[in-house]
Amino acid sequence: SLWVGMDSGSIAVFDLTSGTMVQSFSCHGEEALVSLAHFPGDSVVFALSAYRRVSVWDVATFDCVQKYPAELMTCGADLSSMLALRVSDPDVSLLMLAGINGSLCARRVSRRPGGKLNCVL
């Protein structure tokens, strides 16, 4: 699937095979979505709204599973961009976060044994 962030604060999800939109939903406000980062192995998408809020969405249910203020994700700065990165040795998923002040922060993304999302520095 292809997740697209809208200026209206909504997310549209498209099926890549048919090209049809399969879901559209509001991302907790009317602020523009600035960046999306998809982690296929953990079945989540991180969405950055208005440089100040990060929400995490389950790709199967389209439910919001977590919300973070941007300054919590970067230790103090608003965000300008995010990137999902998979490293093979060691086997780690990383969320790279770029602050509007030029800072760069990396967080490890994984699932705990009970299925809860873990996102740590």
Side-chain angles (χ1 to χ4, degrees):
S1 63
L2 174 66
W3 288 53
V4 178
M6 312 295 249
D7 285 343
S8 64
S10 294
I11 294 176
V13 182
F14 294 88
D15 176 71
L16 291 176
T17 305
S18 66
T20 59
M21 185 171 61
V22 294
Q23 186 68 272
S24 178
F25 52 92
S26 176
C27 190
H28 301 296
E30 297 179 1
E31 300 95 355
L33 284 163
V34 179
S35 184
L36 296 171
H38 182 213
F39 288 93
D42 294 303
S43 300
V44 293
V45 172
F46 284 72
L48 171 60
S49 301
Y51 308 101
R52 297 177 183 255
R53 185 178 55 249
V54 177
S55 52
V56 186
W57 299 85
D58 184 290
V59 299
T61 64
F62 307 109
D63 290 334
C64 181
V65 295
Q66 190 72 39
K67 290 186 276 187
Y68 303 98
E71 63 269 9
L72 178 67
M73 296 293 282
T74 60
C75 302
D78 286 347
L79 291 170
S80 63
S81 186
M82 300 184 304
L83 174 71
L85 182 64
R86 183 74 182 186
V87 179
S88 60
D89 189 18
D91 188 19
V92 176
S93 293
L94 297 174
L95 179 63
M96 305 302 293
L97 303 146
I100 60 171
N101 62 358
S103 63
L104 182 64
C105 182
R107 288 191 167 264
R108 183 174 45 90
V109 176
S110 62
R111 292 264 185 194
R112 294 180 185 161
K116 189 171 179 177
L117 191 67
N118 194 24
C119 184
V120 296
L121 286 171

